[in-house]
């Protein structure tokens, strides 16, 4: 099973241009409390390098392209984002990195909560340790 | 007083690129229930040409530029959108149009509610009539 959950958006296009609309609890499987966009992304640098404890996110390249890397602590997988009608869900406890930005890349993210530094895991060994613990508790919990 | 309420966003930029984050009830004065983006906008065509009964929106040109026209039924005003750290509030009962899109324009809108055709006023004479009624009730209401 892929680490990536792709969400396809409806794109309405005619001679005037294109429009993509994302609605909470419909296209977006959470309440949208934060929206952020990145531009002028330098392909010499990679971004991300963190996971979230709780926050869910939906990412899309509105224009241009980049490569997203997902890592659940065991498997590592890459996905090329190059379509404005295709988003990627970033679930909690998923280490993610972004790279190979095209010059025209506009990277848009919708998040399920406002910024909270305490929700970030920025140290990779800590992330692997936490995800291993969670995996064990998930497998061995008598309640499951 | 201008018809336009401009909201300035914090833009975090370094050699890696720029990031602008918008949060509900902070930068954005409402709950974000819908997000839409327009690209490939043809400068030969104008868009918008409607007002909303209830829905509030916050619009920004993430890249490129365009001109927004606001009309409250009495006054008509134009504003050039050309900055990713400056948004414009579109309040209810404000007729709005968008034009003069640059080739690289990415027009992003955050809305206070999901799509509802019943919330749209698409006929300009009807809009003027409704806004005149609202203005009169606002001025002459004994409760005010």
């Amino acid at each position: 099973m892929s680490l990536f959950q792709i969400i396809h958006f409806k794109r309405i296009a005619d001679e005037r241009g294109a429009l993509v609309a994302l609605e909470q609890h419909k296209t977006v499987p959470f309440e949208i409390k934060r929206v952020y966009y990145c531009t002028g992304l330098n392909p010499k640098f990679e971004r991300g390098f963190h996971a979230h404890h709780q926050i869910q996110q939906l990412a899309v390249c509105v224009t241009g392209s980049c490569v997203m890397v997902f890592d659940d602590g065991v498997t590592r997988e890459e996905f090329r984002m190059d379509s404005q009608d295709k988003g990627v869900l970033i679930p909690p406890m998923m280490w993610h990195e972004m790279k190979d930005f095209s010059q025209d890349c506009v990277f848009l993210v919708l998040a399920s909560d406002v910024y909270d530094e305490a929700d970030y895991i920025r140290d990779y060994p800590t992330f692997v340790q936490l995800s291993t613990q969670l995996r064990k508790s998930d497998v061995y919990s008598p309640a499951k």
Side-chain angles (χ1 to χ4, degrees), chain A residues 115-134:
Chain A
Y115 177 81
D116 176 11
E117 186 57 36
D119 195 67
Y120 284 73
I121 307 163
R122 297 192 187 272
D123 178 60
Y124 186 72
T126 304
F127 165 73
V128 173
Q129 194 180 1
L130 278 171
S131 66
T132 305
Q133 279 169 11
L134 275 172

Side-chain angles (χ1 to χ4, degrees), chain A residues 33-96:
Chain A
K33 298 198 176 167
R34 185 169 188 248
V35 174
Y36 63 92
Y37 43 87
C38 302
T39 58
L41 294 159
N42 189 336
K44 286 181 189 163
F45 294 90
E46 302 185 357
R47 295 184 76 109
F49 295 94
H50 66 266
H52 286 282
H53 286 287
Q54 300 288 344
I55 290 173
Q56 296 177 68
Q57 295 182 101
L58 177 62
V60 59
C61 275
V62 173
T63 59
S65 62
C66 73
V67 169
M68 279 206 77
V69 182
F70 271 14
D71 184 330
D72 66 355
V74 177
T75 312
R76 199 170 165 86
E77 209 175 309
E78 292 197 357
F79 179 72
R80 187 173 160 78
M81 311 258 292
D82 58 2
S83 175
Q84 64 180 207
D85 54 7
K86 214 184 282 178
V88 164
L89 265 186
I90 308 172
M93 291 303 294
M94 182 66 75
W95 186 266
H96 53 284

